[in-house]
Amino acid sequence: MDDEQPVAEAMIIADGRIQYIGDDDAAKEEFDSRYPDGKHHDLDNKVVLPGFIDAHTHPGLVANFPQDENAIKLPTTSKEDLYAALRKYGSDNPFEPLIVLGDRGVQMFAPDGPRKEDLHEIFWRPVILTDNSGHSFWLNSSAL
């Protein structure tokens, strides 16, 4: 995360914290003099990123963040509108080997949820749809 030093040769961890990231020779000097009980890691010119901790994550959503304003938006008005949009997407993209789309209306399928068979009737290839709450995926038989 340092534009001046995007990769590092070494890292020293002492007292449960990263104490040094940088040149290996300087790390050895720091390691020997300031942190004799620390651990010296050879990073072999790799990137070091800080750890991120999140108590509530939605890792599957990263595939669905629109890359541009033309990204498909799934209808949340009715199942019929959703199925029509999915059929159109499939016919407009016949060679896409895996379809990953997002933000289908979770309330549209309450209380039992969607069925893989419904997607299987529309697509022969794998399809993964996220819901608009970010907590579930809907897959067809090919994706399963």
Side-chain angles (χ1 to χ4, degrees):
M1 302 203 54
D2 181 350
D3 290 338
E4 300 296 317
Q5 184 182 347
V7 297
E9 293 179 346
M11 174 172 61
I12 295 175
I13 298 178
D15 301 323
R17 304 188 85 157
I18 296 173
Q19 302 293 342
Y20 175 85
I21 295 177
D23 177 80
D24 194 47
D25 290 334
K28 287 176 184 170
E29 290 175 24
E30 290 283 317
F31 182 74
D32 290 337
S33 61
R34 292 182 59 194
Y35 304 105
D37 295 329
K39 175 125 175 95
H40 182 123
H41 296 274
D42 179 2
L43 298 179
D44 192 31
N45 286 316
K46 293 188 173 83
V47 175
V48 177
L49 298 174
F52 296 101
I53 298 171
D54 186 347
H56 184 115
T57 62
H58 298 260
L61 293 180
V62 297
N64 296 312
F65 290 148
Q67 300 301 312
D68 61 47
E69 64 275 357
N70 298 320
I72 184 173
K73 306 269 191 274
L74 295 176
T76 57
T77 48
S78 70
K79 289 180 188 180
E80 292 76 20
D81 291 343
L82 174 62
Y83 294 148
L86 293 173
R87 283 186 187 89
K88 180 172 179 356
Y89 186 87
S91 66
D92 290 349
N93 301 280
F95 301 109
E96 194 170 337
L98 168 66
I99 296 173
V100 180
L101 299 170
D103 292 342
R104 67 162 177 86
V106 69
Q107 67 285 354
M108 192 183 306
F109 293 90
D112 298 324
R115 301 179 63 232
K116 70 179 183 325
E117 293 83 5
D118 295 332
L119 278 181
H120 191 66
E121 290 178 16
I122 300 170
F123 298 101
W124 58 266
R125 55 199 154 160
V127 176
I128 302 171
L129 303 178
T130 62
D131 70 14
N132 56 358
S133 75
H135 291 100
S136 68
F137 291 96
W138 180 17
L139 287 72
N140 67 347
S141 298
S142 297
L144 290 169

